[in-house]
Amino acid sequence: MEKQGGNGCKRQVVVESPVRPLRSLVRPCFIFLLFLSTVIVIILLGFPDRFSQTDWWKNLSLYTYYHRWTNPDRHRGPSPTTIPPTTVPAPPSTTIRPLPTNHNHLGYPRNYHFIVDEPDKCNTQTPFLVLIVPVAPGNLAARDAIRRTWGNETMVQGKKVQTLFMLGLPGGPVAQELQEKVNQESQVHHDLLQSNFLDSYLNLTIKTMVIMDWLATHCTNATYAMKIDSDMFLNVENLMTMLLRPDVPKVNYLTGMLMWDRPVIRNPNSKWYVPVEMLADDRYPTYTLGMGYVFSNDLPERFVAVSKDIKLFNIEDAYVGACMKKLGLSPTNSPDPWQWKAYLGKYNRCEFSKVITYILSRSSQIVEYWMDLKKTPGSPCH
């Protein structure tokens, strides 16, 4: 048997083509290359943030495509680290404007510019309080609900109040149509501000810092300003009563629902995940919950200035807390901290008459509760 096997082998050598041995190497080489490629892809997908922070990797043209693919929000458009287009909507031939080389942090709001603006809103009548609501371009229902309720409170206790809405760029296949509707809405209401970053949850920090930039450049004569979410019930009367107290500062002041010693979420499956590459600290500085916080209007310009030195991370309210810490300041408890409510449970007219903020689940509730609270004169607790 062994001899036959040897003879068989010799016969096979005699009849084999000279190129056959080379061909026999093709399959194992192909398998090896396939395995190597698979390993590389697994490494890239498994550690996207580490590679995205590596300078040599960013210099490769492949980095652009890799970043788009590994970005979990890629179906909605650019990520927070993607440079926005200069026009809306951007045609395929539009060139991308590079960020200024001296502003390395994407949280710095002057990397962006306004495409819808109301530059004279604070010049015609000097507001005591400016309310700015970050809202998605397509969320017209929330804007209309606010316009019908607390956003329509323009004079409170003899003080001028101004309400505006901050938008980013719409994304997706209906972006152009939605942008046209935004432009029409602006012509009707003249209360929209829009900047050229993609409007997304991941870009809320950019959105908030752009709000600060608008206040710092267009509304320096206001005494206080407030960032408040679009799903909020706001009792402007109670807020004004608090701001008019003699013990409430008019400078270096930030208040709301305070968050102390909160851990940074490292779970990639969490909505509030922040990788170490974006924020190395394991705990946030003291900050005010993003549902709504009010601040003296000397702070926006200082926030804009320090944002050049604070790396962008995607938890916007904590980022403002980081700005305060960089300035050597800290948020302050309001005179009655219990007025800053997140949820009250079941609607109660008496309770709503006492709070400053409350989170709602839908826009129609803003109108419903506001109309009920205002329906009759006298105390709502009787």
Side-chain angles (χ1 to χ4, degrees), residues 145-162:
I146 291 170
R147 289 176 182 127
R148 293 176 59 188
T149 56
W150 53 262
N152 196 37
E153 299 274 273
T154 57
M155 190 66 67
V156 179
Q157 299 185 33
K159 299 293 185 180
K160 171 69 177 174
V161 180
Q162 180 72 63

Side-chain angles (χ1 to χ4, degrees), residues 263-270 272-284:
V264 178
I265 305 300
R266 302 300 189 191
N267 180 3
N269 296 320
S270 172
W272 300 283
Y273 166 64
V274 177
V276 175
E277 290 80 6
M278 296 183 80
L279 181 64
D281 296 338
D282 290 328
R283 297 206 167 256
Y284 292 116

Side-chain angles (χ1 to χ4, degrees), residues 26 38 48 86 149 167 186 192 201 217 243 317 335 354 359 374 380:
V26 172
T38 303
T86 57
T149 56
L167 291 67
S186 176
L192 301 185
Y201 180 78
T217 55
L243 293 176
D317 43 9
K354 298 176 182 178
I359 301 175
K374 301 289 183 177

Side-chain angles (χ1 to χ4, degrees), residues 182-304:
V182 167
N183 293 338
Q184 293 168 5
E185 182 184 351
S186 176
Q187 292 300 313
V188 173
H189 296 284
H190 295 283
D191 59 2
L192 301 185
L193 309 172
Q194 187 181 33
S195 184
N196 69 327
F197 58 87
L198 181 76
D199 200 297
S200 69
Y201 180 78
L202 290 176
N203 279 350
L204 279 178
T205 300
I206 294 174
K207 200 172 194 176
T208 299
M209 295 311 296
V210 169
I211 287 174
M212 299 301 176
D213 184 37
W214 190 88
L215 289 167
T217 55
H218 294 84
C219 206
T220 56
N221 52 355
T223 305
Y224 295 99
M226 183 179 193
K227 176 264 176 184
I228 179 165
D229 287 345
S230 61
D231 58 352
M232 297 298 297
F233 178 92
L234 174 65
N235 193 315
V236 188
E237 190 77 26
N238 291 343
L239 175 61
M240 187 63 72
T241 298
M242 186 206 81
L243 293 176
L244 291 176
R245 289 175 55 124
D247 57 340
V248 170
K250 290 182 170 58
V251 295
N252 297 333
Y253 185 64
L254 169 67
T255 195
M257 180 181 283
L258 265 60
M259 301 285 108
W260 293 279
D261 197 34
R262 292 302 174 102
V264 178
I265 305 300
R266 302 300 189 191
N267 180 3
N269 296 320
S270 172
K271 178 181 180 180
W272 300 283
Y273 166 64
V274 177
V276 175
E277 290 80 6
M278 296 183 80
L279 181 64
D281 296 338
D282 290 328
R283 297 206 167 256
Y284 292 116
T286 301
Y287 66 94
T288 47
L289 196 63
M291 64 177 187
Y293 46 84
V294 66
F295 44 92
S296 56
N297 204 40
D298 62 303
L299 288 177
E301 175 60 38
R302 301 172 71 187
F303 288 158
V304 170

Side-chain angles (χ1 to χ4, degrees), residues 329-346:
L329 303 172
S330 182
T332 307
N333 255 327
S334 66
D336 296 305
W338 57 266
Q339 289 186 302
W340 299 87
K341 299 284 188 181
Y343 298 97
L344 287 175
K346 187 177 180 180

Side-chain angles (χ1 to χ4, degrees), residues 101-146:
T101 55
N102 59 329
H103 301 146
N104 296 321
H105 295 296
L106 293 170
Y108 184 63
R110 289 171 189 168
N111 288 328
Y112 312 94
H113 65 270
F114 289 96
I115 57 174
V116 176
D117 198 0
E118 295 293 334
D120 298 322
K121 273 293 181 181
C122 292
N123 295 333
T124 53
Q125 295 186 42
T126 300
F128 177 80
L129 171 65
V130 182
L131 308 173
I132 302 190
V133 185
V135 59
N139 198 354
L140 176 60
R143 294 192 289 274
D144 280 344
I146 291 170

